[in-house]
Amino acid sequence: MGAVSATADERVAKVSVFRRLLMKPELGAVIGAILIFLFFSFLSPVFHSAAGIANWLDPASTIGIMAVAVAMLMIGGHFDLSAGVQIGSAGLIVGILTTHFHLFIWASIAVSLVVVLAIGAFNGYLVVRTGLPSFIITLATFLMLQGLNLGLTKLIINTVQVGGIREEPGYDSAKAVFASQFTLFGQEFQITILWWILWTALATWILMHTRFGNWTFATGGDRNASRNVGVPVKSTTIKLFMIVSAAAWFVGTTEALRLGSMQANAGFGRELIFIVAAVIGGCLLTGGYGSAIGAAIGALIFGMTSQGIVYAGWDSDWFKFFLGAMLLLAVLSNEYVRRRAATQKKG
Amino acid sequence: MTMAPETAIDAPVLELRNVSKYFGSVISLKDISTSVRAGEVTCILGDNGAGKSTLIKTLSGVYQPDEGEVLMDGQPITLDSPRAALDAGIATVFQDLAVVPLMSVWRNFFLGSEPTKGKGPFKRFDQATAKSIARKELKDMGIDIRDPDQAVGTLSGGERQSVAIARAVYFGARVLILDEPTSALGVKQAGVVLKYIVQARDRGLAVVFITHNPHHAFPVGDRFLILNRGHSMGDFAKNEITREELTAMMAGGAELEQLAHELSRDSADPQVREAGREFKDEAADLGIAD
Ligand SMILES: Nc1ncnc2c1ncn2[C@@H]1O[C@H](COP(=O)(O)OP(=O)(O)OP(=O)(O)O)[C@@H](O)[C@H]1O
Ligand SMILES: [Mg+2]
């Protein structure tokens, strides 16, 4: 018996080191982020100065908050194409309610949360009810919300930009929470960076250490098997859509408060960025695999590349090329990892 | 006080009454009645496509019958989801095993029934407990899983089947349903599964066992329900049927003999003829051909 268990342990040691590393979804993103950091630091010394870092952490943080939520949904096996436009909806609701209807700003923020969560629940409900691909369902919500954001804004305030949020009572306290800055090593950073870290930590905890997290991986991995062992697949799916909506509410509110105004077309087209960040972070397009930390690093790669290209003095058109190449690389390596480490072995 | 509880004790744990299930125009089950008693093993036998899996899925809450009813302890119940069945103490090893390939062994083991610790917002999956129980249960089954953190998709077919069986045995409180649990197992592990079935029966569980192997079915079964194209060919107690009759009914006796004949006589290829002869010998061993 002792001899048997000793050989068994050897087998573990041999297979696992390689496989364990490969099984970490965020591995590729970490390597990519380090390379990109070194690359742009080499091209421009400003890139790794405190000011430079503060500069690229800012876009990374808002994209990151969204990407982490989108990654959770992708792990659960779904997409939300309305994630970007919901940012616009959330910010517009805050803006219009405070400036036009003179609702106290915190009340507007609460109403915005309720409305956007309802949109998420609607998405999730339709997906589980119809069994249609979430791609199609949320494409429909994306188009409808795009129309509603523009149409209702024009109808209510006769223009496509809500301004003057800064003059409303309660603005300072709301700004302190969502859109202030903090100083570290004599450099100002956006508070969204802290929120980004918090969201990532929370999402990681939920995914790895709660029943809901286990159900998320299971639902995305095999919906039918999950249902058959008693996982509440439907409610898990609906909640995941609502988590994406909650993130959109957070980012939308942040943007409205930071700028003091909101465009009626805000957020359009950003949904793909979040999905790309999640995929770069190791999420499989087929669901059931991925990590919140990976998605956060995917967002970091976004932030570094978008600002790095500016510091390097290149035309910003190159940004899109870089991103496309990165996505391709990520998808290929994710596919390799999946085949290598976690597909069904015959026999 | 006297009558009602006594009948409840006497009633089968699970009972199907005139159950039918249709998939569009396909009649998967027609007018099936059977019962599963505590401390008994009910075997369900039949050809591929006979409706065995459909039958156990109506017992485990995956499907709801289109006609007829399911009774538990003599009372009609609606098992509207696998969760409801699990909550009623019915655990199932599905033919497709219902495991998530990308998830680890221990996560799969407790999927849907995770132990928790902590309170309120800090309530979390008790992973240490889950890991140690999963490891112990698998070890008891004689399965040497290299590493419980390994993804189930990387296990061999038999190992995967063992994970699903160990899980159902662990969670089945009143009824244990196994849909061809030994199909991918070696002789030793198949023996362990049969031992588990007997142990579960002796603990007073009601067991439903689907298999194609009469050598597995006959020794452990107390009742035998034979299905053919969705219809019941009979529901026998062990003393109403012999092993040979059972084997013949399962294999479709005459047809099998014909098949062996054709293989051994008509083929031009001597190797196929040889295989046919062996097949015929095997059929004779099973007592369904001479
Ligand atoms: N979801 C479904 N939709 C349509 N037809 C189905 C469905 N499930 C089962 N059937 C049909 O019902 C019949 C019985 O299938 P079932 O899976 O119960 O057979 P089985 O006895 O378990 O066969 P096997 O021994 O191969 O596992 C088959 O003809 C099958 O095609
Ligand atoms: Mg079957």
Side-chain angles (χ1 to χ4, degrees):
Chain A
M1 203 54 224
V4 171
S5 57
T7 46
D9 288 345
E10 272 167 29
R11 277 191 303 172
V12 176
K14 269 180 200 152
V15 201
S16 278
V17 179
F18 178 62
R19 183 168 274 161
R20 279 246 169 90
L21 255 182
L22 272 185
M23 281 299 282
K24 288 265 174 244
E26 53 279 82
L27 176 75
V30 171
I31 294 173
I34 293 171
L35 290 180
I36 287 167
F37 178 80
L38 293 177
F39 179 68
F40 284 115
S41 297
F42 174 74
L43 286 182
S44 155
V46 192
F47 187 78
H48 62 266
S49 69
I53 292 173
N55 211 343
W56 48 256
L57 279 180
D58 177 24
S61 66
T62 44
I63 292 171
I65 291 170
M66 288 304 295
V68 163
V70 166
M72 288 181 80
L73 180 67
M74 276 181 77
I75 292 169
H78 292 285
F79 293 101
D80 188 352
L81 291 185
S82 68
V85 72
Q86 284 186 54
I87 296 175
S89 305
L92 287 169
I93 293 170
V94 172
I96 292 173
L97 287 182
T98 39
T99 60
H100 190 79
F101 295 100
H102 300 292
L103 196 62
F104 185 56
I105 199 157
W106 282 104
S108 311
I109 290 171
V111 172
S112 170
L113 176 62
V114 172
V115 173
V116 180
L117 282 179
I119 296 171
F122 175 79
N123 276 335
Y125 177 77
L126 279 185
V127 166
V128 299
R129 191 58 211 258
T130 62
L132 289 168
S134 48
F135 210 77
I136 294 299
I137 300 278
T138 58
L139 178 62
T141 4
F142 162 70
L143 291 170
M144 290 193 296
L145 284 178
Q146 201 170 340
L148 277 175
N149 283 3
L150 285 163
L152 282 181
T153 306
K154 277 198 227 166
L155 206 67
I156 298 170
I157 60 171
N158 278 319
T159 153
V160 290
Q161 184 183 2
V162 194
I165 302 173
R166 284 205 177 102
E167 285 74 55
E168 296 299 323
Y171 172 79
D172 290 337
S173 63
K175 182 179 188 282
V177 173
F178 289 95
S180 55
Q181 291 83 31
F182 65 97
T183 308
L184 198 66
F185 306 122
Q187 174 63 43
E188 270 200 349
F189 291 89
Q190 294 292 342
I191 194 144
T192 43
I193 296 166
L194 294 183
W195 284 117
W196 171 39
I197 294 168
L198 204 69
W199 271 84
T200 310
L202 188 67
T204 303
W205 186 75
I206 290 174
L207 283 173
M208 302 313 293
H209 297 280
T210 68
R211 303 185 75 188
F212 180 79
N214 214 37
W215 297 341
T216 302
F217 280 100
T219 302
D222 188 330
R223 218 164 292 164
N224 196 39
S226 302
R227 187 179 114 85
N228 283 355
V229 295
V231 172
V233 168
K234 289 184 179 174
S235 75
T236 302
T237 306
I238 293 174
K239 282 178 195 156
L240 287 170
F241 275 100
M242 292 174 75
I243 288 173
V244 172
S245 294
W249 160 79
F250 194 91
V251 172
T253 305
T254 298
E255 293 187 351
L257 293 173
R258 193 190 282 182
L259 302 170
S261 68
M262 199 79 186
Q263 296 285 341
N265 66 355
F268 295 7
R270 285 168 71 182
E271 54 284 332
L272 289 182
I273 296 178
F274 312 139
I275 293 175
V276 171
V279 171
I280 290 177
C283 284
L284 284 184
L285 290 162
T286 42
Y289 188 80
S291 91
I293 293 177
I297 296 172
L300 188 66
I301 288 180
F302 249 95
M304 288 197 293
T305 314
S306 64
Q307 302 301 310
I309 281 173
V310 176
Y311 286 132
W314 297 349
D315 196 310
S316 63
D317 296 338
W318 287 103
F319 175 59
K320 288 275 162 63
F321 173 82
F322 252 90
L323 234 48
M326 218 112 62
L327 176 64
L328 195 62
L329 212 67
V331 173
L332 292 178
S333 77
N334 289 356
E335 183 57 26
Y336 172 78
V337 168
R338 193 179 65 83
R339 280 226 195 106
R340 180 76 211 201
T343 42
Q344 301 232 346
K345 197 170 76 182
K346 289 280 177 295
Chain B
M1 189 58 221
T2 48
M3 282 307 288
E6 262 173 41
T7 46
I9 287 166
D10 273 3
V13 179
L14 266 183
E15 191 178 352
L16 291 180
R17 282 203 191 141
N18 307 107
V19 163
S20 299
K21 180 73 191 172
Y22 312 102
F23 293 105
S25 60
V26 178
I27 301 171
S28 197
L29 288 177
K30 185 68 188 171
D31 212 17
I32 303 294
S33 300
T34 191
S35 58
V36 196
R37 288 172 186 276
E40 282 192 9
V41 178
T42 299
C43 293
I44 300 176
L45 313 162
D47 274 339
N48 294 122
K52 304 182 296 295
S53 296
T54 310
L55 181 71
I56 63 100
K57 281 179 181 167
T58 59
L59 292 175
S60 53
V62 177
Y63 298 144
Q64 287 70 50
D66 292 323
E67 289 158 13
E69 53 182 0
V70 181
L71 292 89
M72 191 163 197
D73 301 320
Q75 302 297 318
I77 56 163
T78 312
L79 298 170
D80 54 8
S81 69
R83 180 79 261 161
L86 279 162
D87 291 343
I90 305 170
T92 308
V93 181
F94 291 95
Q95 196 168 6
D96 66 8
L97 304 180
V99 290
V100 181
L102 285 164
M103 293 177 83
S104 66
V105 170
W106 62 273
R107 280 186 186 268
N108 262 290
F109 193 96
F110 280 95
L111 189 54
S113 311
E114 297 85 352
T116 56
K117 61 180 180 187
K119 286 213 167 58
F122 300 107
K123 196 166 126 179
R124 59 200 183 277
F125 186 0
D126 186 351
Q127 302 186 348
T129 304
K131 273 184 204 177
S132 74
I133 294 176
R135 187 177 292 142
K136 181 184 171 301
E137 295 297 316
L138 287 165
K139 207 172 167 196
D140 287 353
M141 252 199 93
I143 296 300
D144 165 34
I145 296 283
R146 280 175 291 214
D147 169 11
D149 275 316
Q150 197 177 346
V152 161
T154 61
L155 297 177
S156 78
E159 287 172 329
R160 235 176 291 151
Q161 204 160 30
S162 303
V163 171
I165 294 166
R167 174 175 68 183
V169 168
Y170 184 75
F171 287 106
R174 302 202 57 204
V175 183
L176 178 62
I177 302 176
L178 307 106
D179 192 348
E180 299 192 23
T182 52
S183 61
L185 297 185
V187 177
K188 185 179 126 211
Q189 270 79 24
V192 173
V193 172
L194 293 181
K195 190 186 89 190
Y196 270 43
I197 290 174
V198 172
Q199 277 176 356
R201 180 195 70 190
D202 293 346
R203 270 189 287 140
L205 265 73
V207 181
V208 180
F209 178 33
I210 299 181
T211 174
H212 278 129
N213 190 336
H215 295 308
H216 289 167
F218 200 77
V220 298
D222 295 295
R223 294 197 72 77
F224 302 93
L225 169 68
I226 296 160
L227 293 181
N228 186 13
R229 292 164 166 262
H231 295 266
S232 170
M233 304 280 288
D235 187 4
F236 304 96
K238 192 167 196 163
N239 56 14
E240 294 168 346
I241 192 165
T242 66
R243 182 192 291 248
E244 287 67 36
E245 284 167 344
L246 184 71
T247 312
M249 283 186 97
M250 277 177 74
E255 285 167 46
L256 193 65
E257 194 177 353
Q258 180 68 27
L259 194 61
H261 233 71
E262 282 170 15
L263 274 173
S264 60
R265 290 267 167 80
D266 303 347
S267 178
D269 184 338
Q271 277 185 337
V272 173
R273 279 208 300 277
E274 178 55 29
R277 224 166 285 130
E278 275 172 22
F279 183 49
K280 207 174 158 186
D281 288 346
E282 222 165 273
D285 283 348
L286 289 172
I288 52 175
D290 50 11

